[in-house]
Protein backbone atom coordinates (compact mmCIF):
# COMPACT_ATOMS: atom_id res chain seq x y z
CA UNK A 1 0.00 0.00 0.00
CA UNK A 2 1.37 3.40 -1.04
CA UNK A 3 2.02 5.87 1.74
CA UNK A 4 0.09 9.12 1.83
CA UNK A 5 2.50 12.08 1.60
CA UNK A 6 2.76 14.00 4.88
CA UNK A 7 2.22 17.60 3.83
CA UNK A 8 0.58 20.78 5.06
CA UNK A 9 -1.75 22.84 2.90
CA UNK A 10 -0.41 26.24 1.75
CA UNK A 11 -1.35 29.29 3.81
CA UNK A 12 -0.93 27.93 7.33
CA UNK A 13 1.84 28.47 9.86
CA UNK A 14 2.97 25.21 11.47
CA UNK A 15 5.94 25.64 13.80
CA UNK A 16 8.51 23.45 15.49
CA UNK A 17 8.23 23.41 19.30
CA UNK A 18 10.85 26.07 20.13
CA UNK A 19 9.36 28.43 17.53
CA UNK A 20 5.89 27.65 18.86
CA UNK A 21 7.10 28.70 22.33
CA UNK A 22 8.25 32.05 20.89
CA UNK A 23 4.84 32.50 19.24
CA UNK A 24 3.01 31.46 22.41
CA UNK A 25 4.98 33.95 24.48
CA UNK A 26 3.86 36.73 22.16
CA UNK A 27 0.26 35.57 22.66
CA UNK A 28 0.79 35.54 26.42
CA UNK A 29 2.26 39.05 26.38
CA UNK A 30 -0.69 40.41 24.41
CA UNK A 31 -3.19 38.66 26.67
CA UNK A 32 -1.45 39.90 29.82
CA UNK A 33 -1.57 43.51 28.65
CA UNK A 34 -5.20 43.29 27.53
CA UNK A 35 -6.13 42.03 30.98
CA UNK A 36 -4.11 44.77 32.69
CA UNK A 37 -6.44 47.30 31.10
CA UNK A 38 -9.55 45.55 32.34
CA UNK A 39 -10.63 43.63 29.23
CA UNK A 40 -12.49 40.34 29.70
CA UNK A 41 -11.98 37.17 27.61
CA UNK A 42 -14.51 35.96 25.07
CA UNK A 43 -14.40 33.02 22.68
CA UNK A 44 -16.87 32.35 19.89
CA UNK A 45 -17.31 29.19 17.78
CA UNK A 46 -15.04 28.77 14.79
CA UNK A 47 -18.22 28.27 12.73
CA UNK A 48 -21.17 30.65 12.40
CA UNK A 49 -24.39 30.43 10.43
CA UNK A 50 -23.67 31.60 6.89
CA UNK A 51 -26.49 34.12 7.08
CA UNK A 52 -24.80 35.70 10.13
CA UNK A 53 -21.36 35.97 8.55
CA UNK A 54 -22.56 37.13 5.15
CA UNK A 55 -24.88 39.95 6.15
CA UNK A 56 -23.41 42.04 3.34
CA UNK A 57 -23.31 40.16 0.04
CA UNK A 58 -21.24 40.65 -3.04
CA UNK A 59 -18.10 41.92 -1.33
CA UNK A 60 -14.51 40.70 -1.41
CA UNK A 61 -14.91 39.00 1.97
CA UNK A 62 -17.68 36.70 0.72
CA UNK A 63 -15.41 35.41 -2.03
CA UNK A 64 -12.86 34.38 0.62
CA UNK A 65 -15.20 32.52 2.97
CA UNK A 66 -14.75 28.82 3.70
CA UNK A 67 -18.13 27.13 3.87
CA UNK A 68 -18.66 24.09 6.12
CA UNK A 69 -20.83 21.13 5.22
CA UNK A 70 -21.28 17.75 6.86
CA UNK A 71 -20.85 14.57 4.83
CA UNK A 72 -24.56 13.80 5.14
CA UNK A 73 -25.60 17.25 3.88
CA UNK A 74 -23.09 17.00 1.05
CA UNK A 75 -24.54 13.67 -0.07
CA UNK A 76 -28.03 15.17 -0.07
CA UNK A 77 -26.88 18.15 -2.15
CA UNK A 78 -27.79 20.73 0.48
CA UNK A 79 -26.31 24.22 0.46
CA UNK A 80 -23.84 24.89 3.29
CA UNK A 81 -25.55 26.31 6.35
CA UNK A 82 -22.30 27.13 8.17
CA UNK A 83 -19.09 28.98 7.39
CA UNK A 84 -15.76 29.54 9.14
CA UNK A 85 -15.35 33.01 10.66
CA UNK A 86 -13.19 35.33 8.55
CA UNK A 87 -12.62 37.85 11.36
CA UNK A 88 -13.62 38.33 15.01
CA UNK A 89 -15.73 41.46 14.53
CA UNK A 90 -18.78 39.85 12.92
CA UNK A 91 -18.91 37.11 15.60
CA UNK A 92 -18.57 39.86 18.24
CA UNK A 93 -21.56 41.70 16.77
CA UNK A 94 -23.63 38.53 16.91
CA UNK A 95 -22.38 37.76 20.44
CA UNK A 96 -23.25 41.20 21.82
CA UNK A 97 -26.68 41.21 20.17
CA UNK A 98 -27.45 37.70 21.47
CA UNK A 99 -26.24 38.36 25.04
CA UNK A 100 -27.07 42.05 25.22
CA UNK A 101 -29.27 41.73 28.32
CA UNK A 102 -26.63 39.74 30.22
CA UNK A 103 -23.66 42.01 29.56
CA UNK A 104 -22.49 45.06 31.48
CA UNK A 105 -21.90 48.16 29.34
CA UNK A 106 -19.50 49.50 28.39
CA UNK A 107 -18.57 45.95 27.48
CA UNK A 108 -14.80 45.47 27.35
CA UNK A 109 -13.78 42.26 25.65
CA UNK A 110 -10.63 40.69 24.29
CA UNK A 111 -10.62 37.74 21.93
CA UNK A 112 -7.60 35.81 20.66
CA UNK A 113 -8.55 33.07 18.20
CA UNK A 114 -7.87 31.76 14.73
CA UNK A 115 -9.80 33.04 11.72
CA UNK A 116 -9.98 31.70 8.17
CA UNK A 117 -9.87 33.30 4.74
CA UNK A 118 -9.51 31.80 1.30
CA UNK A 119 -6.36 33.76 0.50
CA UNK A 120 -4.52 33.02 -2.72
CA UNK A 121 -1.51 30.90 -1.82
CA UNK A 122 1.55 33.14 -1.70
CA UNK A 123 4.43 33.92 0.62
CA UNK A 124 3.34 35.73 3.78
CA UNK A 125 -0.42 35.34 3.14
CA UNK A 126 -2.30 33.02 5.46
CA UNK A 127 -5.56 31.12 5.20
CA UNK A 128 -5.54 30.35 8.92
CA UNK A 129 -4.22 32.97 11.30
CA UNK A 130 -4.55 34.36 14.82
CA UNK A 131 -6.25 37.67 15.46
CA UNK A 132 -5.91 39.34 18.86
CA UNK A 133 -8.73 41.88 19.27
CA UNK A 134 -10.01 44.22 21.94
CA UNK A 135 -13.18 46.29 21.73
CA UNK A 136 -15.14 48.58 24.01
CA UNK A 137 -18.86 48.49 23.19
CA UNK A 138 -21.25 51.11 24.55
CA UNK A 139 -25.03 51.16 24.66
CA UNK A 140 -26.63 54.19 23.00
CA UNK A 141 -23.35 56.09 23.31
CA UNK A 142 -19.63 55.76 24.01
CA UNK A 143 -17.28 58.56 25.04
CA UNK A 144 -14.43 59.47 22.69
CA UNK A 145 -12.18 59.01 25.73
CA UNK A 146 -12.18 55.28 24.98
CA UNK A 147 -10.66 56.13 21.59
CA UNK A 148 -7.70 57.53 23.54
CA UNK A 149 -7.43 54.52 25.84
CA UNK A 150 -6.75 51.99 23.08
CA UNK A 151 -3.43 53.59 22.00
CA UNK A 152 -2.35 53.23 25.63
CA UNK A 153 -3.06 49.50 25.34
CA UNK A 154 -1.17 49.32 22.04
CA UNK A 155 1.80 51.10 23.61
CA UNK A 156 1.79 48.73 26.58
CA UNK A 157 1.65 45.64 24.34
CA UNK A 158 4.41 46.56 21.92
CA UNK A 159 6.69 48.02 24.56
CA UNK A 160 6.65 44.64 26.32
CA UNK A 161 6.98 42.67 23.08
CA UNK A 162 10.23 44.63 22.61
CA UNK A 163 10.38 44.32 18.82
CA UNK A 164 11.73 47.82 18.10
CA UNK A 165 10.62 51.45 18.01
CA UNK A 166 7.04 51.94 16.85
CA UNK A 167 4.56 54.74 16.16
CA UNK A 168 0.79 54.71 16.63
CA UNK A 169 -0.65 56.83 13.81
CA UNK A 170 -4.08 58.39 14.12
CA UNK A 171 -6.69 60.06 11.96
CA UNK A 172 -10.45 60.63 12.00
CA UNK A 173 -12.85 59.55 9.25
CA UNK A 174 -15.25 62.43 10.03
CA UNK A 175 -12.42 64.90 9.47
CA UNK A 176 -11.57 63.27 6.15
CA UNK A 177 -15.13 63.09 4.90
CA UNK A 178 -15.76 66.68 5.95
CA UNK A 179 -12.65 67.87 4.13
CA UNK A 180 -13.67 65.99 0.98
CA UNK A 181 -17.12 67.57 1.25
CA UNK A 182 -15.52 71.03 1.43
CA UNK A 183 -13.87 70.26 -1.94
CA UNK A 184 -17.16 69.23 -3.54
CA UNK A 185 -16.68 65.49 -3.10
CA UNK A 186 -19.92 65.10 -1.15
CA UNK A 187 -21.40 61.84 -2.43
CA UNK A 188 -20.97 59.21 0.31
CA UNK A 189 -20.10 56.41 -2.10
CA UNK A 190 -17.53 58.55 -3.91
CA UNK A 191 -16.03 59.58 -0.57
CA UNK A 192 -15.65 55.91 0.35
CA UNK A 193 -13.84 55.20 -2.92
CA UNK A 194 -11.53 58.18 -2.36
CA UNK A 195 -10.85 57.00 1.21
CA UNK A 196 -9.79 53.61 -0.11
CA UNK A 197 -7.40 55.21 -2.57
CA UNK A 198 -5.71 57.60 -0.15
CA UNK A 199 -5.26 54.66 2.25
CA UNK A 200 -2.81 53.34 -0.37
CA UNK A 201 -0.60 56.45 -0.23
CA UNK A 202 2.23 54.98 1.84
CA UNK A 203 2.21 51.75 -0.18
CA UNK A 204 1.75 53.06 -3.73
CA UNK A 205 3.02 56.65 -3.51
CA UNK A 206 1.59 60.08 -4.32
CA UNK A 207 1.89 59.74 -8.12
CA UNK A 208 -0.22 56.60 -8.16
CA UNK A 209 -2.94 58.17 -5.98
CA UNK A 210 -2.91 61.38 -8.06
CA UNK A 211 -3.31 59.49 -11.34
CA UNK A 212 -6.12 57.40 -9.89
CA UNK A 213 -8.06 60.38 -8.51
CA UNK A 214 -7.81 62.35 -11.77
CA UNK A 215 -8.40 59.30 -13.97
CA UNK A 216 -11.58 58.29 -15.73
CA UNK A 217 -12.98 56.27 -12.82
CA UNK A 218 -12.89 59.26 -10.42
CA UNK A 219 -12.64 62.28 -12.68
CA UNK A 220 -11.60 64.74 -9.99
CA UNK A 221 -10.18 68.09 -11.09
CA UNK A 222 -6.40 68.37 -10.83
CA UNK A 223 -6.57 71.12 -8.17
CA UNK A 224 -8.96 69.03 -6.05
CA UNK A 225 -6.66 66.02 -6.29
CA UNK A 226 -3.68 68.19 -5.25
CA UNK A 227 -5.57 69.52 -2.21
CA UNK A 228 -6.47 65.97 -1.20
CA UNK A 229 -2.84 64.89 -1.60
CA UNK A 230 -1.64 67.84 0.48
CA UNK A 231 -4.20 66.94 3.16
CA UNK A 232 -3.26 63.27 3.39
CA UNK A 233 0.46 64.02 3.59
CA UNK A 234 0.07 65.92 6.88
CA UNK A 235 2.14 64.35 9.68
CA UNK A 236 3.08 65.48 13.19
CA UNK A 237 5.96 64.88 15.59
CA UNK A 238 4.25 66.23 18.73
CA UNK A 239 0.79 66.97 20.07
CA UNK A 240 1.41 70.70 19.78
CA UNK A 241 2.39 70.34 16.12
CA UNK A 242 -0.66 68.14 15.49
CA UNK A 243 -2.96 70.81 16.94
CA UNK A 244 -1.31 73.48 14.77
CA UNK A 245 -1.68 71.37 11.64
CA UNK A 246 -5.33 70.62 12.39
CA UNK A 247 -6.05 74.32 12.92
CA UNK A 248 -4.26 75.19 9.67
CA UNK A 249 -6.79 73.15 7.69
CA UNK A 250 -9.24 76.03 7.96
CA UNK A 251 -12.95 75.96 8.61
CA UNK A 252 -15.13 73.25 7.10
CA UNK A 253 -18.56 71.63 7.27
CA UNK A 254 -19.99 70.26 10.52
CA UNK A 255 -18.56 66.73 10.10
CA UNK A 256 -15.07 68.17 9.58
CA UNK A 257 -15.33 70.31 12.71
CA UNK A 258 -16.61 67.38 14.73
CA UNK A 259 -13.76 65.17 13.50
CA UNK A 260 -11.19 67.85 14.27
CA UNK A 261 -12.54 68.30 17.82
CA UNK A 262 -12.55 64.54 18.44
CA UNK A 263 -9.01 64.15 17.12
CA UNK A 264 -7.71 66.95 19.34
CA UNK A 265 -9.36 65.45 22.40
CA UNK A 266 -8.01 61.99 21.63
CA UNK A 267 -4.46 63.23 20.97
CA UNK A 268 -4.40 65.17 24.22
CA UNK A 269 -5.78 62.27 26.25
CA UNK A 270 -3.32 59.74 24.82
CA UNK A 271 -0.56 61.78 26.37
CA UNK A 272 -2.46 61.83 29.67
CA UNK A 273 -2.76 58.03 29.49
CA UNK A 274 1.03 57.93 29.74
CA UNK A 275 2.00 57.28 26.13
CA UNK A 276 5.17 59.23 25.20
CA UNK A 277 4.71 61.71 22.34
CA UNK A 278 7.51 59.90 20.51
CA UNK A 279 5.19 56.91 20.11
CA UNK A 280 2.07 58.45 18.55
CA UNK A 281 1.43 60.92 15.76
CA UNK A 282 -1.15 62.51 13.51
CA UNK A 283 -1.21 60.96 10.03
CA UNK A 284 -4.03 62.21 7.79
CA UNK A 285 -3.48 59.47 5.19
CA UNK A 286 -4.70 56.76 7.59
CA UNK A 287 -8.19 55.84 6.39
CA UNK A 288 -8.58 52.09 7.01
CA UNK A 289 -10.28 50.40 4.09
CA UNK A 290 -13.22 48.97 6.01
CA UNK A 291 -16.41 50.95 5.51
CA UNK A 292 -17.77 50.60 9.04
CA UNK A 293 -15.18 52.91 10.65
CA UNK A 294 -16.80 56.26 11.36
CA UNK A 295 -14.42 58.25 13.60
CA UNK A 296 -10.95 57.69 15.04
CA UNK A 297 -8.78 55.24 13.10
CA UNK A 298 -5.39 53.79 14.05
CA UNK A 299 -2.42 52.13 12.42
CA UNK A 300 0.79 51.13 14.20
CA UNK A 301 4.06 50.73 12.32
CA UNK A 302 7.64 49.78 13.22
CA UNK A 303 9.86 52.83 12.65
CA UNK A 304 12.79 50.87 11.24
CA UNK A 305 10.72 48.38 9.23
CA UNK A 306 8.03 50.36 7.35
CA UNK A 307 7.90 47.62 4.70
CA UNK A 308 6.17 45.36 7.23
CA UNK A 309 3.16 47.70 7.16
CA UNK A 310 0.63 48.06 9.94
CA UNK A 311 1.22 45.75 12.91
CA UNK A 312 -1.96 46.82 14.75
CA UNK A 313 -4.96 48.69 13.41
CA UNK A 314 -8.55 49.56 14.21
CA UNK A 315 -10.94 52.39 14.91
CA UNK A 316 -14.35 53.70 15.96
CA UNK A 317 -17.66 52.45 14.59
CA UNK A 318 -21.13 53.73 15.38
CA UNK A 319 -23.34 50.66 15.32
CA UNK A 320 -21.74 47.28 15.76
CA UNK A 321 -24.80 45.05 15.58
CA UNK A 322 -27.39 47.04 13.64
CA UNK A 323 -28.31 44.02 11.52
CA UNK A 324 -29.13 41.92 14.62
CA UNK A 325 -30.71 44.32 17.14
CA UNK A 326 -32.54 47.65 17.27
CA UNK A 327 -30.24 48.80 20.07
CA UNK A 328 -27.52 51.25 19.10
CA UNK A 329 -24.16 49.77 20.07
CA UNK A 330 -21.23 52.06 19.19
CA UNK A 331 -17.72 50.88 19.86
CA UNK A 332 -14.01 51.20 19.26
CA UNK A 333 -11.52 48.40 18.77
CA UNK A 334 -8.10 47.28 17.57
CA UNK A 335 -6.75 44.08 16.11
CA UNK A 336 -3.30 42.47 15.96
CA UNK A 337 -2.93 39.88 13.20
CA UNK A 338 -0.37 37.89 15.16
CA UNK A 339 0.36 35.07 12.72
CA UNK A 340 1.36 37.44 9.92
CA UNK A 341 3.19 39.73 12.35
CA UNK A 342 5.18 36.85 13.83
CA UNK A 343 6.10 35.59 10.36
CA UNK A 344 7.24 39.07 9.26
CA UNK A 345 9.23 39.65 12.44
CA UNK A 346 10.96 36.29 12.05
CA UNK A 347 11.78 37.07 8.42
CA UNK A 348 13.25 40.43 9.53
CA UNK A 349 15.30 38.74 12.26
CA UNK A 350 13.43 40.55 15.05
CA UNK A 351 12.26 37.36 16.78
CA UNK A 352 14.15 34.12 17.07
CA UNK A 353 13.71 30.59 18.32
CA UNK A 354 12.83 30.54 22.02
CA UNK A 355 14.35 28.57 24.84
CA UNK A 356 12.59 25.41 25.91
CA UNK A 357 9.87 25.68 28.53
CA UNK A 358 11.53 22.66 30.17
CA UNK A 359 14.03 23.95 32.76
CA UNK A 360 15.70 20.73 33.86
CA UNK A 361 16.34 17.21 32.57
CA UNK A 362 16.96 14.47 35.17
CA UNK A 363 19.13 11.82 33.58
CA UNK A 364 18.93 8.08 34.22
CA UNK A 365 22.20 6.45 35.35
CA UNK A 366 20.78 3.28 36.84
CA UNK A 367 17.31 1.94 36.15
CA UNK A 368 17.14 0.50 39.68
CA UNK A 369 17.38 4.04 41.12
CA UNK A 370 14.38 5.33 39.18
CA UNK A 371 12.53 6.10 42.43
CA UNK A 372 15.34 8.56 43.35
CA UNK A 373 15.17 10.30 39.98
CA UNK A 374 11.40 10.63 40.18
CA UNK A 375 11.61 11.96 43.74
CA UNK A 376 14.02 14.72 42.66
CA UNK A 377 11.74 15.60 39.72
CA UNK A 378 8.70 15.80 42.03
CA UNK A 379 10.54 18.15 44.39
CA UNK A 380 11.54 20.41 41.53
CA UNK A 381 8.06 20.46 40.02
CA UNK A 382 6.60 21.24 43.43
CA UNK A 383 8.92 24.26 43.53
CA UNK A 384 7.62 25.44 40.14
CA UNK A 385 10.60 24.21 38.11
CA UNK A 386 9.56 22.47 34.87
CA UNK A 387 11.32 19.11 34.87
CA UNK A 388 11.57 16.14 32.53
CA UNK A 389 12.88 12.69 33.53
CA UNK A 390 14.67 10.33 31.15
CA UNK A 391 12.57 7.17 31.41
CA UNK A 392 14.31 4.88 28.93
CA UNK A 393 17.95 5.28 29.87
CA UNK A 394 20.83 4.79 27.48
CA UNK A 395 24.34 6.25 27.34
CA UNK A 396 24.79 9.48 29.29
CA UNK A 397 26.30 11.21 26.25
CA UNK A 398 23.15 10.42 24.32
CA UNK A 399 21.02 11.92 27.10
CA UNK A 400 23.13 15.09 27.04
CA UNK A 401 22.71 15.25 23.26
CA UNK A 402 18.94 14.95 23.66
CA UNK A 403 18.88 17.84 26.17
CA UNK A 404 20.98 20.02 23.90
CA UNK A 405 18.81 19.35 20.86
CA UNK A 406 15.58 19.89 22.82
CA UNK A 407 16.89 23.20 24.18
CA UNK A 408 16.92 22.10 27.86
CA UNK A 409 19.63 24.09 29.58
CA UNK A 410 20.22 22.29 32.90
CA UNK A 411 20.85 18.54 33.16
CA UNK A 412 21.03 16.71 36.50
CA UNK A 413 23.20 13.65 37.07
CA UNK A 414 22.60 11.38 40.08
CA UNK A 415 25.08 8.51 39.85
CA UNK A 416 26.18 6.23 42.68
CA UNK A 417 28.82 8.75 43.81
CA UNK A 418 26.33 11.64 43.91
CA UNK A 419 23.70 9.60 45.75
CA UNK A 420 26.28 8.42 48.29
CA UNK A 421 27.49 11.99 48.97
CA UNK A 422 23.99 13.51 48.97
CA UNK A 423 24.81 15.82 46.06
CA UNK A 424 23.62 16.39 42.50
CA UNK A 425 25.82 17.22 39.51
CA UNK A 426 24.31 20.06 37.48
CA UNK A 427 25.48 20.43 33.89
CA UNK A 428 24.82 23.79 32.16
CA UNK A 429 24.43 22.92 28.48
CA UNK A 430 24.81 26.50 27.33
CA UNK A 431 27.97 27.32 29.27
CA UNK A 432 29.29 23.80 28.79
CA UNK A 433 30.36 23.49 32.41
CA UNK A 434 29.12 21.62 35.48
CA UNK A 435 29.17 21.81 39.27
CA UNK A 436 28.04 19.85 42.31
CA UNK A 437 25.36 21.07 44.70
CA UNK A 438 24.03 19.56 47.91
CA UNK A 439 20.65 17.90 47.43
CA UNK A 440 19.16 20.17 50.11
CA UNK A 441 20.37 23.27 48.22
CA UNK A 442 19.30 22.08 44.75
CA UNK A 443 16.05 24.03 44.46
CA UNK A 444 17.59 27.25 45.76
CA UNK A 445 20.59 26.92 43.44
CA UNK A 446 18.49 26.16 40.35
CA UNK A 447 16.22 29.11 41.05
CA UNK A 448 19.25 31.41 41.07
CA UNK A 449 20.61 29.86 37.86
CA UNK A 450 17.24 30.09 36.12
CA UNK A 451 16.80 33.73 37.18
CA UNK A 452 20.20 34.55 35.73
CA UNK A 453 19.35 32.65 32.56
CA UNK A 454 16.24 34.82 32.12
CA UNK A 455 18.24 38.06 32.09
CA UNK A 456 21.24 36.72 30.20
CA UNK A 457 21.47 37.64 26.50
Amino acid sequence: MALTPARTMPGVLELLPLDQIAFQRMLDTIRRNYERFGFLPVETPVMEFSEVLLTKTGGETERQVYFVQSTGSLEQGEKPELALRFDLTVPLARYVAEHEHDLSFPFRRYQMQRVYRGERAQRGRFREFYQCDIDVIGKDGLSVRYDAELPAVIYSVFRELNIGAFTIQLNNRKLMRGFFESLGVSDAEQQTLVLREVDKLDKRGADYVRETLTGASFGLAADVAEKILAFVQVRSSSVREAFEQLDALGAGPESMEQGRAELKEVLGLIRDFGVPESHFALNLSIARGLDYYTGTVYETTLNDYPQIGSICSGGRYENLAGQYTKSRLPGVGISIGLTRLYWQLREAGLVSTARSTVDVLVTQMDESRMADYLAVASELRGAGIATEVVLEGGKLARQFKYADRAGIRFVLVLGEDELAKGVVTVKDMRREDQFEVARAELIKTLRVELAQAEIAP
Side-chain angles (χ1 to χ4, degrees):
M1 184 176 107
L3 296 175
T4 301
R7 59 195 183 105
T8 307
M9 75 172 194
V12 298
L13 186 65
E14 189 173 71
L15 302 171
L16 293 173
L18 297 185
D19 292 315
Q20 186 66 44
I21 291 169
F23 183 85
Q24 191 65 44
R25 284 178 177 163
M26 292 183 74
L27 275 174
D28 293 341
T29 297
I30 295 169
R31 181 183 295 106
R32 182 164 55 249
N33 281 278
Y34 285 174
E35 290 181 347
R36 280 175 184 163
F37 279 80
F39 289 86
L40 302 173
V42 160
E43 287 198 354
T44 58
V46 67
M47 294 178 287
E48 298 275 355
F49 285 111
S50 301
E51 62 182 15
V52 170
L53 284 181
L54 305 176
T55 51
K56 294 181 180 180
T57 58
E60 180 65 28
T61 301
E62 184 177 0
R63 291 194 291 272
Q64 294 182 334
V65 166
Y66 283 111
F67 289 97
V68 180
Q69 199 167 24
S70 69
T71 306
S73 297
L74 193 62
E75 291 173 348
Q76 295 175 29
E78 297 178 5
K79 290 184 177 181
E81 182 185 23
L82 304 172
L84 299 180
R85 60 182 175 226
F86 53 80
D87 71 4
L88 299 178
T89 302
V90 175
L92 173 64
R94 189 269 309 156
Y95 181 95
V96 174
E98 188 172 348
H99 302 287
E100 179 182 348
H101 301 295
D102 300 313
L103 298 174
S104 298
F105 290 92
F107 175 50
R108 302 166 64 88
R109 87 79 162 91
Y110 77 83
Q111 189 169 352
M112 302 169 62
Q113 291 185 279
R114 291 182 174 93
V115 299
Y116 300 85
R117 292 182 192 171
E119 292 278 6
R120 183 167 55 89
Q122 56 182 309
R123 188 173 170 80
R125 304 295 293 183
F126 294 96
R127 295 172 175 175
E128 175 190 67
F129 56 96
Y130 265 97
Q131 279 192 312
C132 305
D133 291 12
I134 53 172
D135 288 82
V136 184
I137 311 298
K139 194 163 187 177
D140 300 322
L142 186 71
S143 170
V144 74
R145 293 172 182 170
Y146 292 99
D147 296 26
E149 183 185 27
L150 294 197
V153 182
I154 297 172
Y155 172 71
S156 181
V157 167
F158 286 101
R159 181 181 58 176
E160 188 172 342
L161 284 176
N162 194 29
I163 55 176
F166 59 92
T167 302
I168 306 162
Q169 303 177 75
L170 296 95
N171 196 5
N172 189 292
R173 292 282 286 260
K174 293 176 186 175
L175 178 75
M176 298 188 82
R177 286 186 178 275
F179 182 78
F180 295 160
E181 185 181 340
S182 72
L183 298 178
V185 183
S186 54
D187 179 73
E189 185 174 343
Q190 188 180 26
Q191 285 184 357
T192 298
L193 294 174
V194 173
L195 282 169
R196 290 176 181 173
E197 289 306 312
V198 300
D199 200 34
K200 302 172 184 176
L201 180 66
D202 289 338
K203 296 177 182 176
R204 299 289 187 90
D207 290 341
Y208 171 86
V209 176
R210 182 186 294 108
E211 290 177 12
T212 304
L213 294 179
T214 57
S217 58
F218 283 88
L220 298 184
D223 64 323
V224 171
E226 289 303 326
K227 288 177 181 177
I228 290 175
L229 280 170
F231 174 88
V232 298
Q233 293 185 69
V234 169
R235 307 286 189 275
S236 74
S237 58
S238 69
V239 172
R240 179 178 178 180
E241 184 182 7
F243 281 19
E244 291 172 351
Q245 290 172 326
L246 289 171
D247 289 338
L249 295 174
E254 182 181 354
S255 59
M256 181 174 169
E257 297 304 327
Q258 187 177 358
R260 176 168 23 212
E262 288 181 1
L263 203 42
K264 282 186 171 182
E265 183 175 358
V266 168
L267 288 166
L269 279 172
I270 293 173
R271 182 175 53 190
D272 295 340
F273 268 106
V275 181
E277 291 190 40
S278 58
H279 283 73
F280 68 99
L282 178 70
N283 181 342
L284 296 190
S285 73
I286 302 300
R288 302 302 304 145
L290 297 174
D291 295 344
Y292 58 74
Y293 290 126
T294 57
T296 308
V297 284
Y298 321 94
E299 283 192 358
T300 304
T301 54
L302 292 176
N303 298 357
D304 298 329
Y305 296 86
Q307 70 276 14
I308 288 179
S310 177
I311 59 175
C312 175
S313 59
R316 160 73 69 135
Y317 42 85
E318 285 311 310
N319 197 2
L320 174 73
Q323 62 269 40
Y324 309 123
T325 175
K326 293 181 180 179
S327 298
R328 181 170 168 266
L329 301 169
V332 60
I334 57 169
S335 178
I336 301 171
L338 186 59
T339 301
R340 182 170 179 267
L341 175 59
Y342 172 82
W343 184 86
Q344 290 174 313
L345 294 174
R346 194 171 66 168
E347 290 288 296
L350 296 177
V351 296
S352 57
T353 298
R355 300 170 185 169
S356 174
T357 51
V358 181
D359 299 317
V360 173
L361 177 72
V362 179
T363 59
Q364 181 188 140
M365 298 288 289
D366 182 350
E367 189 173 357
S368 67
R369 306 306 296 262
M370 181 61 71
D372 294 301
Y373 308 144
L374 295 178
V376 170
S378 294
E379 290 175 17
L380 295 179
R381 291 170 186 149
I385 299 173
T387 304
E388 178 183 347
V389 181
V390 175
L391 298 178
E392 291 188 299
K395 293 182 179 179
L396 190 59
R398 184 177 178 184
Q399 297 178 48
F400 284 149
K401 185 177 180 179
Y402 167 80
D404 187 49
R405 189 169 184 180
I408 303 172
R409 178 164 180 178
F410 296 102
V411 180
L412 306 188
V413 178
L414 290 92
E416 288 298 328
D417 291 344
E418 284 88 359
L419 289 168
K421 293 190 295 183
V423 299
V424 178
T425 297
V426 179
K427 183 173 178 64
D428 186 330
M429 301 301 294
R430 187 189 304 170
R431 293 180 185 164
E432 296 184 345
D433 65 3
Q434 63 185 46
F435 56 90
E436 282 188 356
V437 59
R439 173 77 176 268
E441 296 294 317
L442 179 60
I443 289 173
K444 180 180 177 181
T445 301
L446 284 175
R447 280 177 171 165
V448 171
E449 292 289 334
L450 289 167
Q452 292 176 345
E454 282 297 315
I455 61 175

